[in-house]
């Protein structure tokens, strides 16, 4: 009887220590790391900054409007997250360079890039889209994602390695009606992930991608605020609801952690079970 009580006590102690260890690891797994997250004052970008910051990273947030930056910085600071904020239009070379230089000046290093910035100035039949629409979408959604990576890669390499994460979309696998050019740009990010991964692996930089489904953000509000659209979408989902930004942020944080140390060149679809493969 005494032996059984002792064993129960030992197992309880082991279980408590294991849970505490896991909790401590998750809360400090990115301690000392510096993460740039583009378009990070709202939606998935803000959720990514929160998830990285809660795990100990110093996050650098940005968007095109100063008021949005100030609001996001105040929110993150209220959650005891180390944060720096600045305005940045990633479609402009001088803004990209300013973002990187400011991060180095303020934080001294760069370990992580989360490339989340995207635009969609067009809604309609793809054959009605103009050259200007394609230029804008490809400039911001694809080209700037690569050029930001090119800017930060040498600095991440100096730190002994790190992570680049691209935010694609389920539309990259299954183009959405009326969102043709945007969908194509998100497919391009899947290819960019695969193309960069073997080259940057030589610098100990892992490159991965997240493809969210329908997530409750301002960017996709036209979809999830329409009951008819949501009802149709739910038929395609295993988990019968729209996703939350935090559910993408946590996957991004996982990919940047040592727990994902053997993952590179991959796209994780976070869609509630929507069938979406090229």
């Amino acid at each position: 009887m005494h032996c059984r009580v002792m064993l129960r006590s030992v197992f309880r102690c082991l279980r408590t220590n294991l849970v505490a260890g896991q909790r401590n690891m998750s809360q400090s797994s990115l301690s000392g790391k510096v993460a740039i997250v583009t378009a990070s004052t709202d939606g998935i970008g803000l959720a990514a900054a929160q998830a990285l910051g809660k795990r100990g990273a110093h996050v650098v947030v940005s968007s095109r409007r100063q008021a949005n930056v100030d609001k996001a910085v105040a929110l993150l600071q209220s959650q005891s997250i180390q944060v720096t904020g600045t305005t940045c239009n990633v479609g402009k070379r001088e803004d990209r360079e300013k973002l990187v230089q400011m991060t180095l000046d303020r934080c001294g290093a760069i370990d992580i890039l989360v490339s989340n910035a995207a635009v969609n100035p067009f809604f309609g039949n793809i054959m009605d889209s103009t050259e200007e629409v394609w230029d804008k979408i490809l400039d911001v959604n694809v080209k700037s994602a690569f050029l930001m990576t090119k800017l930060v890669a040498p600095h991440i390499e100096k730190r002994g390695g790190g992570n680049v994460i691209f935010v694609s979309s389920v539309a990259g696998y299954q183009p959405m009606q009326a969102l043709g050019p945007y969908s194509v740009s998100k497919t391009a990010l899947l290819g960019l992930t695969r193309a960069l991964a073997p080259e940057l692996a030589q610098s100990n930089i892992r490159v991965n991608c997240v493809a969210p489904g329908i997530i409750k953000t301002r960017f996709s509000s036209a979809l999830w605020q329409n009951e008819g659209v949501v009802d149709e979408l739910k038929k395609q989902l295993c988990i019968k609801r729209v996703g939350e930004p935090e559910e993408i942020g946590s996957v991004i944080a996982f990919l940047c952690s040592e727990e994902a140390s053997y993952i590179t060149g991959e796209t994780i679809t976070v869609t509630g079970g929507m069938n979406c493969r090229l």
Side-chain angles (χ1 to χ4, degrees):
M1 182 72 179
H2 179 66
C3 184
R4 236 187 347 251
V5 170
M6 243 178 75
L7 278 171
R8 265 206 304 269
S9 176
V10 167
F11 283 129
R12 197 180 301 120
C13 182
L14 282 171
R15 194 165 57 239
T16 303
N17 287 341
L18 184 63
V19 170
Q22 286 171 337
R23 197 181 296 122
N24 289 338
M25 185 171 68
S26 68
Q27 285 173 348
S28 62
S29 58
L30 296 175
S31 183
K33 305 293 185 187
V34 177
I36 294 176
V37 186
T38 63
S40 44
T41 61
D42 192 17
I44 288 170
L46 179 59
Q50 285 175 309
L52 294 166
K54 284 175 182 174
R55 286 161 179 77
H58 185 127
V59 293
V60 179
V61 299
S62 64
S63 78
R64 286 176 293 180
R65 294 182 181 85
Q66 186 66 52
N68 294 344
V69 173
D70 294 341
K71 188 177 172 185
V73 167
L75 174 67
L76 293 169
Q77 284 176 338
S78 75
Q79 297 171 346
S80 301
I81 289 170
Q82 300 174 77
V83 58
T84 301
T86 185
T87 54
C88 178
N89 178 349
V90 295
K92 294 182 177 178
R93 179 175 57 84
E94 58 272 26
D95 276 23
R96 293 190 297 267
E97 290 173 353
K98 182 190 78 171
L99 175 60
V100 170
Q101 192 56 54
M102 189 216 68
T103 302
L104 294 170
D105 292 344
R106 299 270 189 92
C107 308
I110 302 169
D111 300 281
I112 294 163
L113 168 67
V114 179
S115 184
N116 175 60
V119 295
N120 179 47
F122 177 80
F123 193 83
N125 294 328
I126 192 169
M127 289 302 289
D128 293 330
S129 59
T130 63
E131 183 175 356
E132 289 74 23
V133 161
W134 282 92
D135 284 346
K136 181 158 189 179
I137 287 176
L138 294 177
D139 269 359
V140 174
N141 299 11
V142 183
K143 198 167 78 172
S144 74
F146 167 71
L147 293 173
M148 275 298 300
T149 304
K150 192 170 182 178
L151 271 178
V152 302
H155 301 291
I156 297 177
E157 185 177 8
K158 278 181 198 168
R159 294 278 276 180
N163 290 274
V164 173
I165 308 290
F166 298 120
V167 179
S168 177
S169 166
V170 64
Y173 288 99
Q174 181 57 55
M176 289 187 176
Q177 193 176 2
L179 295 174
Y182 173 83
S183 299
V184 171
S185 75
K186 291 301 186 176
T187 306
L189 290 178
L190 310 181
L192 183 59
T193 301
R194 298 303 293 266
L196 283 171
E199 284 194 29
L200 290 182
Q202 298 165 38
S203 304
N204 200 29
I205 299 171
R206 294 187 292 109
V207 183
N208 289 295
C209 186
V210 175
I214 307 304
I215 307 298
K216 199 175 280 189
T217 66
R218 186 173 49 81
F219 192 79
S220 64
S221 59
L223 295 172
W224 59 264
Q225 286 180 348
N226 184 317
E227 278 188 37
V229 171
V230 170
D231 287 343
E232 280 303 306
L233 279 169
K234 282 181 181 175
K235 292 175 185 175
Q236 303 173 48
L237 301 174
C238 299
I239 300 171
K240 304 293 184 184
R241 62 173 175 81
V242 174
E244 298 290 340
E246 293 74 21
E247 293 175 303
I248 309 301
S250 59
V251 173
I252 290 170
F254 161 71
L255 286 171
C256 293
S257 74
E258 280 305 304
E259 292 161 308
S261 57
Y262 201 49
I263 301 175
T264 196
E266 294 294 339
T267 298
I268 296 184
T269 55
V270 191
T271 67
M274 191 184 291
N275 186 20
C276 52
R277 282 289 168 202
L278 284 176

